[in-house]
């Protein structure tokens, strides 16, 4: 898996060994396909073992995963037909010669959790009633405890009523909410509700944060270090009083931790990710448009379904989420002695 996925799964008790590969999508696939070094590395790491079963379950149109499974020495090989979407007919036929089982997609698609439950039912598991879990490593929890302790000190110093995380951007360029509207959200959180905003970002968002900072002026806010990896960031999210985020991985983590969460999303695939079944503390916001369900093939210069979300909607939705019924107990907060 890519580095970020491995960092999130490193503490999972069911996982024994990891192999780090480039980030997915077409760029990652090309790097592996056209690199003799990567082929040799994967061949040595995977080819020296025999497996009882090799499974590639994602409904992923990039062919790398199914290609790797086809070459493993395994008694059984399970593939998802969605992983062959970008292949020629002869490639699909070649792959199915190696597959001992083709996992069937959920009729009608639907939410990821419902699709996962249907997938698991094909090997006799029932997970419909289970909530997602994200075990955190001791390393991630330790770093996050110190960083959140510093943020809580800022909350006490400002006499704020809570700590609200802000994730202003994600890896997908289409998930870009205007900086002037982010500034309006931050100002409303503080001036109307005395909630201290705390921004989680990567070094790539430095320009965006500078733009927001110039607009909000003297409104107090906290900024977590931008060099936090995804596991530390997820651990930070688990200790916040609420989160406002574009549709990115940390929004999913917040829901797994049962944090009050507002997600700003495009209308590309509204039924696939949000809202989570039975979830009352995660609220999805999007602006209804005629092109809803476009599959992220936006023809607009800016996606109006995202950029036209009102800052007032966001703040109101967060307050509703914070008043929702908690499903899981609040994680204990570590107080740093310094």
């Amino acid at each position: 898996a890519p580095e970020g996925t491995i960092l999130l799964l490193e503490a999972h008790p069911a996982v024994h060994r990891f192999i780090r590969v480039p980030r997915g999508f077409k760029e990652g696939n090309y790097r592996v396909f056209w690199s003799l070094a990567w082929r040799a590395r994967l061949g040595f790491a995977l080819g020296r073992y025999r497996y009882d079963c090799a499974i590639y379950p994602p409904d992923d149109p990039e062919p790398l995963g199914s290609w790797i499974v086809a070459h493993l020495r395994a008694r059984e090989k399970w593939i998802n037909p969605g992983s062959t979407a970008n292949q020629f007919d002869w490639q699909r036929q070649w792959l199915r010669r190696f597959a001992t089982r083709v996992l069937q997609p959920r009729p009608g698609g639907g939410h990821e959790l419902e699709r996962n439950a249907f997938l698991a039912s094909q090997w006799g598991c029932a997970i419909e009633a289970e909530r997602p879990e994200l075990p955190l490593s001791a390393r991630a929890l330790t770093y996050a405890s110190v960083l959140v302790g510093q943020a809580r000190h800022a909350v006490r110093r400002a006499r704020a009523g809570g700590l609200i995380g802000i994730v202003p951007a994600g890896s997908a360029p289409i998930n870009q909410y205007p900086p002037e509207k982010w500034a309006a959200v931050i100002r409303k959180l503080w001036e109307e509700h005395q909630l201290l905003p705390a921004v989680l970002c990567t070094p790539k968002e430095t320009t965006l944060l500078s733009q927001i900072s110039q607009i909000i002026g003297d409104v107090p806010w906290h900024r977590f270090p931008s060099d936090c990896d995804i596991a530390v960031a997820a651990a930070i999210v688990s200790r916040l009083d609420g989160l406002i985020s574009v549709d990115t991985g940390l929004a999913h983590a917040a829901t797994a931790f049962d944090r009050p969460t507002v997600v700003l999303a495009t209308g590309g695939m509204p039924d696939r990710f949000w809202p989570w079944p039975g979830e009352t503390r995660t609220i999805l916001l999007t602006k209804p448009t005629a092109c809803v369900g476009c599959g992220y093939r936006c023809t607009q210069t800016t996606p109006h379904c995202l950029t036209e979300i009102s800052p007032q909607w966001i703040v109101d939705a967060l307050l509703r989420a914070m008043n929702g019924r908690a499903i899981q107990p609040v994680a204990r907060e570590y107080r740093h002695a310094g």
Side-chain angles (χ1 to χ4, degrees):
E3 181 70 21
T5 303
I6 287 178
L7 288 173
L8 287 176
L9 292 176
E10 62 183 349
H12 199 290
V15 181
H16 176 62
R17 179 176 291 129
F18 293 101
I19 299 175
R20 288 168 167 81
V21 299
R23 181 177 172 85
F25 308 119
K26 289 186 178 180
E27 179 184 352
N29 276 254
Y30 282 142
R31 285 184 62 188
V32 173
F33 273 123
W34 300 112
S35 169
L36 291 177
W38 268 112
R39 286 173 176 252
R41 179 179 176 183
L42 288 176
F44 177 77
L46 295 171
R48 55 182 174 155
Y49 298 106
R50 292 183 180 273
Y51 302 91
D52 295 314
C53 185
I55 309 173
Y56 187 69
D59 191 10
D60 179 2
E62 303 301 339
L64 175 60
S66 57
W67 175 77
I68 290 176
V69 167
H71 287 83
L72 290 178
R73 294 187 296 172
R75 190 175 68 248
E76 293 189 39
K77 299 179 181 181
W78 301 357
I79 66 166
N80 188 326
S83 65
T84 65
N86 285 352
Q87 297 181 6
F88 296 108
D89 289 339
W90 67 267
Q91 291 175 309
R92 296 190 185 101
Q93 295 171 4
W94 172 85
L95 180 63
R96 295 199 179 197
R97 287 197 354 244
F98 293 92
T100 59
R101 186 171 187 175
V102 177
L103 302 170
Q104 297 303 313
R106 182 176 182 270
H111 192 278
E112 283 287 312
L113 294 184
E114 296 171 336
R115 294 164 67 179
N116 289 347
F118 182 80
L119 196 66
S121 69
Q122 296 180 59
W123 56 79
C125 292
I127 63 171
E128 293 87 345
E130 296 184 16
R131 282 184 58 84
E133 293 183 357
L134 183 57
L136 295 172
S137 67
R139 177 195 64 84
L141 288 170
T142 299
Y143 280 108
S145 295
V146 174
L147 296 175
V148 173
Q150 296 169 352
R152 290 293 178 185
H153 181 65
V155 169
R156 292 190 294 272
R157 188 170 60 247
R159 298 184 179 180
L163 184 66
I164 306 300
I166 304 285
V167 181
S171 57
I174 198 172
N175 290 332
Q176 300 296 330
Y177 191 59
E180 63 274 11
K181 291 192 174 183
W182 275 126
V185 170
I186 291 173
R187 184 174 292 277
K188 284 179 177 293
L189 286 174
W190 175 251
E191 293 183 348
E192 298 178 10
H193 305 285
Q194 276 65 58
L195 295 171
L196 184 70
V199 176
L200 278 157
C201 67
T202 66
K204 295 180 180 179
E205 281 92 58
T206 302
T207 302
L208 174 62
L209 287 189
S210 298
Q211 294 172 338
I212 296 173
S213 180
Q214 291 174 2
I215 298 171
I216 63 174
D218 59 352
V219 173
W221 60 315
H222 182 78
R223 180 175 174 178
F224 288 106
S226 60
D227 58 353
C228 295
D229 61 48
I230 185 65
V232 174
I236 289 173
V237 164
S238 72
R239 286 160 166 74
L240 298 175
D241 298 318
L243 183 75
I244 301 172
S245 173
V246 295
D247 188 1
T248 188
L250 291 179
H252 292 266
T255 303
F257 295 128
D258 196 29
R259 299 291 81 205
T261 307
V262 176
V263 184
L264 315 184
T266 67
M269 300 179 73
D271 297 332
R272 181 174 179 182
F273 297 112
W274 308 102
W276 296 52
E279 181 59 56
T280 61
R281 303 222 296 175
T282 297
I283 297 176
L284 170 74
L285 289 182
T286 188
K287 173 79 172 183
T289 60
C291 55
V292 64
C294 68
Y296 306 116
R297 296 177 177 87
C298 188
T299 59
Q300 305 290 335
T301 305
T302 56
H304 297 301
C305 50
L306 175 67
T307 59
E308 293 186 6
I309 297 173
S310 164
Q312 188 63 55
W313 298 354
I314 297 172
V315 175
D316 291 344
L318 177 66
L319 296 179
R320 291 200 309 273
M322 294 177 73
N323 290 328
R325 181 177 61 87
I327 298 175
Q328 298 176 352
V330 177
R332 293 183 179 179
E333 179 185 339
Y334 170 76
R335 299 275 181 175
H336 182 51

